[in-house]
Structures are given as structure tokens and as C-alpha cells.
């Protein structure tokens, strides 16, 4: 698979005969390899091109069969003590890779044994934000046709901030156990909120009220706290399965906000 940049799309000219009925119509595409500059000419069914949203000037993927795919990026924002290696982020990342996303795993987490150090939320956020900036600054975000942010706890604040600070449009969010500080980034479309009804950091009545008022998609797990876990392993696995079902349905089927 290689990255190519679309230079020109030539629509078919049917002349006086008009568009043929019941036949597939193909468009001609001129492009260049994003790495080598090699000129590429290919064809794509007109309907498939329209459905994909691929257009001139975009950088997309070309697979071994010569088929074009949109470039998709998924960025994973862990919590302060909830790394991307833990199940709530590990399995969504694996799902995204299987769906053709390029994935970025952020690592701003301190060692888990630093419980006693007294960091304010503002200090913690500021330090983690530097990591976010370093990673996002290294990427040409405008080259992606789809961007997904999956975040946990403090990471939900950073994900919302990243979308706003970088002037991104059309970003979809999976907010896992968001904080009250995340609310200013909530939107009606393209967002999924998952939380426990006993989360001590965001009372469920307040969270549910915000989601209802903004007509957001949300899923509440009964009788669990901020980690979305219970003492019994089987119970935790059941919760993980249900949360993953919500996330997968959102990623696969939720309509994308316009770019």
C-alpha cells in the first residue's frame, strides 16, 4: 500500500448519446506517488468515488489492487494513570487498525507508583499537553480525510483541546469517562460518551443532563466508577464487551460530520 496525491479527476464525456443506463461508469484519475513523485493514472467507478469523498488535492492510499482509500487517523489520549496498554484503549486501537486507520498512541503517563506526588489538574494537563503538541505537530493533519480521537479521563480534555487548538473540523470523539472540564468540548454530532454511574469525578446526574440537552450519544454503565471495572473478573469482562460494542458501532456506523 502506498500514499498518492490526487492531481486531477476526469469525468466521462458521453457526448450526444448521454449516460448509459444500467452500466458502471468510471472516471480517470491522475495522481502522483507522495514519496517518489511517480506519475500514476488509474480508474475508479464514479459511484464509489462519490461515496468515498475522494477529491482533487487529497492524499489517499492506493492498495495492491490499485484501489483508492481515504486516509484515516485515530489518536489515543490516555488518562494520567490509564495508559494505552490497558483494555479500554488497547482494544479500540486494535479495532481501528483493522478498519484501516493509522493509529497514534500518546504516552504522557507517569509511572503508576507516583501516587503521593501532589500535582494540580492544571499542572498535569499542561505537562501532558506538551506531548500532544509534539506528536500532532509532526503530522500533516490536513492530509487525512477522517480523524478520530479516542480518549480516557484527563485525555478527554486534551482531545477536545487538540481539536480546537489545531482548528480541526469533522473530528469524531469517543470520550471515555470524561471530566467536568471536558464539557466545553461536547457537541451534538460525531461524539460518543461512555461513563459509569458511580464515577466520583463527574456525577451521573450532571453528565446525563448535559448529554440529553445537547442530544449527544452516550452510554452509562450501571454501578461502576471511573475505571469501568468491578471486583469480579467476569463482570469486568462483560462491561468491556458492552463498551467495545458501543465503540465499534460508533466508529463503524456513526455518520461523519462534514469536513
Amino acid at each position: 500500500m502506498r500514499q498518492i496525491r490526487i492531481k486531477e479527476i476526469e469525468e466521462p464525456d458521453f457526448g450526444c448519446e448521454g449516460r448509459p443506463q444500467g452500466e458502471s461508469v468510471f472516471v480517470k484519475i491522475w495522481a502522483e506517488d507522495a514519496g517518489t513523485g511517480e506519475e500514476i493514472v488509474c480508474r475508479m467507478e464514479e459511484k464509489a468515488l462519490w461515496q468515498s469523498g475522494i477529491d482533487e488535492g487529497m492524499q489517499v492510499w492506493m492498495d495492491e489492487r490499485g484501489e483508492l482509500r481515504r486516509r484515516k487517523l485515530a489518536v489515543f489520549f490516555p488518562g494520567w494513570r490509564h495508559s494505552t496498554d490497558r483494555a479500554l484503549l488497547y482494544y479500540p486501537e486494535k479495532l481501528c487498525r483493522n478498519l484501516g486507520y493509522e493509529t497514534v498512541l500518546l504516552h504522557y503517563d507517569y509511572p503508576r507508583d507516583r501516587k503521593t506526588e501532589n500535582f494540580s489538574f492544571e499542572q498535569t494537563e499542561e505537562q501532558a499537553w506538551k506531548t500532544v503538541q509534539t506528536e500532532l505537530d509532526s503530522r500533516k493533519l490536513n492530509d487525512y480525510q477522517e480523524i478520530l480521537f479516542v480518549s480516557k479521563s484527563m485525555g478527554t480534555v486534551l482531545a477536545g483541546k487538540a481539536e480546537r487548538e489545531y482548528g480541526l473540523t469533522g473530528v469524531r470523539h469517543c470520550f471515555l469517562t470524561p471530566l467536568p472540564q471536558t464539557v466545553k468540548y461536547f457537541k451534538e454530532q460525531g461524539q460518543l460518551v461512555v461513563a459509569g454511574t458511580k464515577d466520583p469525578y463527574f456525577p451521573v446526574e450532571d453528565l446525563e443532563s448535559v448529554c440529553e440537552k445537547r442530544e449527544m450519544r452516550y452510554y452509562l454503565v450501571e454501578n461502576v466508577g471511573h475505571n469501568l471495572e468491578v471486583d469480579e473478573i467476569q463482570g469486568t469482562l462483560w462491561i468491556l464487551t458492552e463498551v467495545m460494542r458501543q465503540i465499534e458501532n460508533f466508529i463503524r456506523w456513526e455518520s461523519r460530520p462534514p469536513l
Side-chain angles (χ1 to χ4, degrees), residues 108-177:
Y108 44 72
D109 209 354
Y110 266 19
R112 291 174 59 81
D113 59 358
R114 296 186 65 172
K115 300 178 185 178
T116 58
E117 298 207 24
N118 188 22
F119 290 100
S120 69
F121 179 85
E122 290 73 18
Q123 290 173 316
T124 304
E125 180 189 352
E126 181 180 359
Q127 184 168 343
W129 177 244
K130 294 177 182 177
T131 301
V132 175
Q133 287 180 302
T134 299
E135 182 58 50
L136 296 187
D137 286 348
S138 70
R139 293 184 172 268
K140 297 180 180 179
L141 298 176
N142 290 331
D143 283 344
Y144 294 93
Q145 289 79 55
E146 292 184 37
I147 298 179
L148 170 71
F149 288 167
V150 182
S151 53
K152 174 74 171 73
S153 188
M154 183 190 70
T156 63
V157 181
L158 296 169
K161 183 176 181 178
E163 179 185 13
R164 182 174 296 181
E165 292 293 321
Y166 283 84
L168 303 174
T169 57
V171 175
R172 295 189 296 158
H173 287 268
C174 289
F175 289 128
L176 306 178
T177 64

Side-chain angles (χ1 to χ4, degrees), residues 4-165:
I4 66 170
R5 189 175 298 278
I6 306 297
K7 297 173 63 177
E8 183 181 351
I9 299 175
E10 181 181 293
E11 300 288 342
D13 183 2
F14 301 109
C16 299
E17 298 178 357
R19 179 182 291 268
Q21 296 295 321
E23 296 182 16
S24 296
V25 175
F26 289 82
V27 298
K28 196 172 185 179
I29 300 172
W30 278 266
E32 64 180 7
D33 189 289
T36 65
E38 174 191 353
E39 294 289 331
I40 299 169
V41 181
C42 61
R43 296 199 317 154
M44 187 171 182
E45 188 179 9
E46 185 182 46
K47 183 178 179 180
L49 179 70
W50 177 79
Q51 291 177 336
S52 72
I54 294 174
D55 204 348
E56 293 176 353
M58 286 185 175
Q59 187 164 306
V60 300
W61 288 109
M62 173 180 275
D63 65 19
E64 295 78 5
R65 296 176 296 179
E67 296 180 356
L68 305 185
R69 302 180 185 179
R70 293 162 62 93
R71 288 191 73 194
K72 302 186 292 184
L73 176 69
V75 183
F76 291 79
F77 298 75
W80 185 240
R81 295 185 60 250
H82 193 110
S83 74
T84 55
D85 295 326
R86 295 181 64 178
L88 285 174
L89 295 177
Y90 173 83
Y91 288 109
E93 191 270 340
K94 187 174 182 179
L95 169 66
C96 285
R97 282 191 284 111
N98 289 339
L99 292 176
Y101 284 82
E102 300 171 49
T103 62
V104 174
L105 303 175
L106 298 176
H107 298 281
Y108 44 72
D109 209 354
Y110 266 19
R112 291 174 59 81
D113 59 358
R114 296 186 65 172
K115 300 178 185 178
T116 58
E117 298 207 24
N118 188 22
F119 290 100
S120 69
F121 179 85
E122 290 73 18
Q123 290 173 316
T124 304
E125 180 189 352
E126 181 180 359
Q127 184 168 343
W129 177 244
K130 294 177 182 177
T131 301
V132 175
Q133 287 180 302
T134 299
E135 182 58 50
L136 296 187
D137 286 348
S138 70
R139 293 184 172 268
K140 297 180 180 179
L141 298 176
N142 290 331
D143 283 344
Y144 294 93
Q145 289 79 55
E146 292 184 37
I147 298 179
L148 170 71
F149 288 167
V150 182
S151 53
K152 174 74 171 73
S153 188
M154 183 190 70
T156 63
V157 181
L158 296 169
K161 183 176 181 178
E163 179 185 13
R164 182 174 296 181
E165 292 293 321

Side-chain angles (χ1 to χ4, degrees), residues 194-223:
V194 177
T197 60
K198 292 187 176 180
D199 191 327
Y201 300 108
F202 203 153
V204 65
E205 297 82 4
D206 297 340
L207 176 60
E208 192 167 17
S209 175
V210 171
C211 291
E212 288 287 344
K213 287 180 180 178
R214 304 195 184 188
E215 298 182 346
M216 297 178 64
R217 180 171 178 170
Y218 68 98
Y219 176 70
L220 298 177
V221 185
E222 295 292 334
N223 300 315

Side-chain angles (χ1 to χ4, degrees), residues 201-259:
Y201 300 108
F202 203 153
V204 65
E205 297 82 4
D206 297 340
L207 176 60
E208 192 167 17
S209 175
V210 171
C211 291
E212 288 287 344
K213 287 180 180 178
R214 304 195 184 188
E215 298 182 346
M216 297 178 64
R217 180 171 178 170
Y218 68 98
Y219 176 70
L220 298 177
V221 185
E222 295 292 334
N223 300 315
V224 298
H226 197 63
N227 286 330
L228 300 181
E229 297 176 353
V230 293
D231 292 337
E232 297 80 10
I233 293 177
Q234 291 300 321
T236 296
L237 292 176
W238 182 88
I239 292 170
L240 178 61
T241 300
E242 292 303 309
V243 170
M244 278 302 305
R245 181 177 291 114
Q246 295 292 324
I247 293 173
E248 181 171 6
N249 287 340
F250 172 78
I251 294 175
R252 283 183 181 274
W253 310 119
E254 179 79 5
S255 60
R256 297 186 298 271
L259 292 173

Side-chain angles (χ1 to χ4, degrees), residues 184-197:
K184 58 186 175 183
Y185 303 117
F186 280 3
K187 298 178 182 179
E188 293 181 1
Q189 295 183 345
Q191 297 187 347
L192 168 68
V193 172
V194 177
T197 60

